[in-house]
């Protein structure tokens, strides 16, 4: 969590505007510690069921959807700031 929080700080981004993408329960836990949104990618270190038990904000079954997911999140964030 500390490394993620440091990266968010170095990028001068609010934690509520950040997302961490990982493929393990440890990634999910670290993102939670840093208070950032977390997306879990299926097919990595841990199986789908184990990832879901950690309650990530988003579960990604295909890494190819990441760019469109990030664009959609950006649009949602922009709309909520209006």
């Amino acid at each position: 969590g500390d490394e993620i929080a440091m990266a968010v700080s170095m990028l001068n981004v609010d934690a509520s505007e950040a997302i961490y993408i990982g493929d393990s329960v440890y990634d999910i836990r670290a993102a939670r510690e840093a208070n950032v949104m977390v997306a879990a990618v299926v097919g990595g270190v841990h199986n789908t069921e184990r990832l879901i038990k950690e309650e990530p904000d988003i579960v990604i079954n295909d890494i190819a959807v990441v760019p469109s997911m990030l664009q959609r999140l950006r649009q949602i964030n922009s709309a909520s700031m209006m």
Side-chain angles (χ1 to χ4, degrees), residues 5-13:
M6 184 169 52
V8 168
S9 177
M10 289 174 66
L11 292 169
N12 199 28
V13 184

Side-chain angles (χ1 to χ4, degrees), residues 1 3-5 8-9 13 19-20 22-24 27 30 32 35-36 38 44 46-47 50 55 61 64 67 69 71 82:
E3 293 85 2
I4 297 170
V8 168
S9 177
V13 184
I19 183 167
Y20 188 81
D23 66 355
S24 76
D27 294 326
R32 291 282 180 240
N35 295 313
V36 301
V38 60
H46 296 114
N47 65 32
R50 187 146 180 222
E55 300 181 354
N61 291 309
M69 177 203 68
Q71 181 62 34
M82 291 181 173

Side-chain angles (χ1 to χ4, degrees), residues 32-59:
R32 291 282 180 240
E33 287 178 23
N35 295 313
V36 301
M37 180 182 284
V38 60
V41 179
V42 172
V45 177
H46 296 114
N47 65 32
T48 305
E49 293 78 23
R50 187 146 180 222
L51 292 174
I52 290 172
K53 283 182 184 178
E54 293 293 322
E55 300 181 354
D57 297 298
I58 300 168
V59 176

